[in-house]
Structure formats: C-alpha cells, structure tokens
C-alpha cells in the first residue's frame, strides 16, 4: 500500500528541525486579502460609472474622464479608510499593551492570578499549573503577550497600515482600469466603430469572476460559487447604474 501523500507532507513538516524553524520565524501578515477586496471594489464601482454613462448615451471621452476620476478618487478613499482602520487596530493593541504593562508593574499579584485562572480554564492543574504560571510571569514580554491574547482576545500579528493601504489602492486601480480599456481603444483607435460597452462588460465580468474566485481562499467557499457571487453582485450594481443613466438620458441631452 502506497503512503498517503498528505501524511508524508505532514510528517516532513513536523520533524523537530522543521518545527523549530517554523516557530522561530516571525509570522508575516498576508496582504492578499487587501488586494482581493480592493480589486472587487475597483471593478464594481468603475464599471458602475461606465454603465451609468453608457446608459445615458454619452461619448467614450466622457466615460474615460468620469472613470479615471472614479479610479483616483474612490481608490484613494478606500485606501485611506483601510489605512485609518488598520492604524486604529494597531493603536488599540499598543494601548492595551501599555495598560497591561502598567497593571503588572503596579499590582503583579493580581495579574499573576489572572494568568493562573486563564491557564486553569484550559485544564492546567496542580504542580503543572504552578510551573506554567511561574514560567510565563518570569518573562514580562511573554506575560504581556499572554494577557493580550488570552484575556483580551487580541491578535499580535497586525498588518502594516501603510502597506495595506498601498496594496488596496493598487488593486483598486489595476482591476478597476479594466472596464475603461475598451473605451480608451474606441476613443484613440476607431471612434464609433467598436462596441466598447459590450467589450467592457465582458472584461469586467471576467475580472469579477476571477477576483471572486480568489476571494474564496479567505472565506472557505467553493471558488466557482464565490466567483459567480461576485459576478452577480457586480452585475446588479452595473445594471442599477445603467438603468439610472438610461432614465436620466433625456435630462442630460
């Protein structure tokens, strides 16, 4: 009977040396999530603008101007929101750390009892409990980290706010630019001869599906289900924008 490939991989990853290397390597935050959600928002909002302008029957030049304004304005707005949100989480962690350090300094016996009760709730008893409490409270950094994670439920692995914002902005601009490609080609190469809205719809639909399929890695969903879900949401947003543009067409013209 041939060995199970998964078991062999797990065995190789759980040798004493492999475990030591993994535990000694500082955890790195993944910014792929920021890219995925920035890309989804960029595709949805830009194509909604394109659909609204196309519904109003305006020229490719107008679509390009409004689309580019949306890319820069909304992209920066989303990046700024991500930066401020990530920064707020980071500041919350820093404040909690200072608070725990102060509590340990001013009343170590009380903080030591908190560690004891936290470990007792996990099943530690007797001499094992006493030794675990002694080990943790003998190292201030470990003591504070344990309180932050176990008492307050805070994650110590936080994203860099500036990097998160930059990734979000780039994703928004790169993916959000796809709906404009056909209108740029129509404006520069052969005005009136292409069907820019149809081409833009196809490109954006592909972008919706691909970004949604990538998103499935973070939400534990089937890739095709997540892809079609994002495609559906983006399609609804685009249809609503197109309908508004169509309804107001006479007002503009």
């Amino acid at each position: 009977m041939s060995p199970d490939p998964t078991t062999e991989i797990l065995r190789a990853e759980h040798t004493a040396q492999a475990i030591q290397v993994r535990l000694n390597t500082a955890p790195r935050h993944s910014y792929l999530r920021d890219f995925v959600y920035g890309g989804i928002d960029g595709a949805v909002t830009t194509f909604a603008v394109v659909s609204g302008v196309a519904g109003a029957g305006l020229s490719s030049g107008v679509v390009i101007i409004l689309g580019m304004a949306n890319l820069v304005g909304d992209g920066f707005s989303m990046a700024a929101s991500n930066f401020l949100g990530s920064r707020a989480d980071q500041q919350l962690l820093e404040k909690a750390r200072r608070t725990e350090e102060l509590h340990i300094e001013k009343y170590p016996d009380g903080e030591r009892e908190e560690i004891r009760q936290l470990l007792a709730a996990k099943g530690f008893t007797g001499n094992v409990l006493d030794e675990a409490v002694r080990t943790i409270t003998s190292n201030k950094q470990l003591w504070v980290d344990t309180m932050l994670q176990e008492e307050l439920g805070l994650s110590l692995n936080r994203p860099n706010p500036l990097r998160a914002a930059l990734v979000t902005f780039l994703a928004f601009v790169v993916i959000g630019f796809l709906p404009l490609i056909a209108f740029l080609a129509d404006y520069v190469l052969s005005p009136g001869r292409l069907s820019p809205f149809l081409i833009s719809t196809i490109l954006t639909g592909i972008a919706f599906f691909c970004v949604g399929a990538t998103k499935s890695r973070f939400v534990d969903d089937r890739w095709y289900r997540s892809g079609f879900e994002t495609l559906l949401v983006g399609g609804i947003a685009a249809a609503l924008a197109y309908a508004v543009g169509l309804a107001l067409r006479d007002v503009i013209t």
Side-chain angles (χ1 to χ4, degrees), residues 2-76:
S2 59
D4 179 24
T6 302
T7 302
E8 292 301 313
I9 292 174
L10 290 174
R11 182 177 291 113
E13 291 178 346
H14 287 79
T15 62
Q17 183 178 4
I19 292 174
Q20 183 179 23
V21 170
R22 185 164 61 250
L23 294 180
N24 288 337
T25 303
R28 298 175 60 186
H29 181 82
S30 173
Y31 295 93
L32 186 56
R33 180 188 300 269
D34 300 288
F35 182 86
V36 169
Y37 288 111
I40 290 175
D41 197 66
V44 169
T45 58
T46 305
F47 189 65
V49 171
V50 168
S51 299
V53 177
L58 302 180
S59 66
S60 293
V62 175
V63 174
I64 294 169
I65 292 172
L66 294 181
M68 293 300 293
N70 171 79
L71 279 180
V72 176
D74 282 2
F76 181 82

Side-chain angles (χ1 to χ4, degrees), residues 20 25 31 45 91 105 119 134 163-164 194 225 246 250:
Q20 183 179 23
T25 303
Y31 295 93
T45 58
Q91 291 171 327
E105 178 184 348
L119 296 179
R134 188 160 42 250
R163 290 181 182 177
L194 299 177
R225 182 185 302 168
L246 193 62
D250 292 337

Side-chain angles (χ1 to χ4, degrees), residues 176-189:
F177 184 71
L178 291 177
L180 299 177
I181 292 178
F183 289 94
L184 282 169
D186 179 69
Y187 183 79
V188 174
L189 300 178

Side-chain angles (χ1 to χ4, degrees), residues 3-250:
D4 179 24
T6 302
T7 302
E8 292 301 313
I9 292 174
L10 290 174
R11 182 177 291 113
E13 291 178 346
H14 287 79
T15 62
Q17 183 178 4
I19 292 174
Q20 183 179 23
V21 170
R22 185 164 61 250
L23 294 180
N24 288 337
T25 303
R28 298 175 60 186
H29 181 82
S30 173
Y31 295 93
L32 186 56
R33 180 188 300 269
D34 300 288
F35 182 86
V36 169
Y37 288 111
I40 290 175
D41 197 66
V44 169
T45 58
T46 305
F47 189 65
V49 171
V50 168
S51 299
V53 177
L58 302 180
S59 66
S60 293
V62 175
V63 174
I64 294 169
I65 292 172
L66 294 181
M68 293 300 293
N70 171 79
L71 279 180
V72 176
D74 282 2
F76 181 82
S77 175
M78 187 174 182
S81 297
N82 195 0
F83 173 82
L84 294 175
S86 299
R87 180 63 180 146
D89 286 342
Q90 189 179 63
Q91 291 171 327
L92 177 64
L93 178 62
E94 292 169 354
K95 179 182 178 181
R97 180 176 294 280
R98 290 192 299 269
T99 300
E100 290 300 329
E101 290 173 345
L102 179 63
H103 289 177
I104 290 173
E105 178 184 348
K106 296 297 184 181
Y107 192 51
D109 290 342
E111 293 298 305
R112 190 174 289 106
E113 178 60 24
E114 288 186 355
I115 289 291
R116 177 178 294 278
Q117 293 193 24
L118 287 170
L119 296 179
K122 293 180 178 294
F124 288 79
T125 59
N127 292 334
V128 175
L129 174 59
D130 293 337
E131 183 61 29
V133 172
R134 188 160 42 250
T135 299
I136 291 175
T137 57
S138 65
N139 183 319
K140 188 175 180 180
Q141 177 73 34
L142 177 60
W143 192 348
V144 172
D145 287 348
T146 302
M147 297 299 294
L148 292 175
Q149 293 176 298
E150 300 298 334
E151 181 188 19
L152 302 180
L154 297 176
S155 172
L156 303 181
N157 181 24
R158 297 286 182 172
N160 181 294
L162 188 58
R163 290 181 182 177
L166 182 59
V167 169
T168 298
F169 181 75
L170 290 177
F172 190 101
V173 172
V174 170
I175 305 298
F177 184 71
L178 291 177
L180 299 177
I181 292 178
F183 289 94
L184 282 169
D186 179 69
Y187 183 79
V188 174
L189 300 178
S190 52
R193 296 178 58 186
L194 299 177
S195 299
F197 183 64
L198 176 60
I199 298 174
S200 178
T201 301
I202 295 173
L203 288 176
T204 307
I206 294 173
F208 281 153
F209 186 86
C210 290
V211 174
T214 304
K215 184 190 70 173
S216 67
R217 293 187 56 186
F218 304 99
V219 297
D220 193 26
D221 195 7
R222 302 283 186 180
W223 63 270
Y224 53 85
R225 182 185 302 168
S226 183
F228 280 117
E229 179 184 58
T230 305
L231 179 60
L232 176 62
V233 172
I236 292 174
L240 290 174
Y242 186 85
V244 170
L246 193 62
L248 298 177
R249 182 172 184 172
D250 292 337

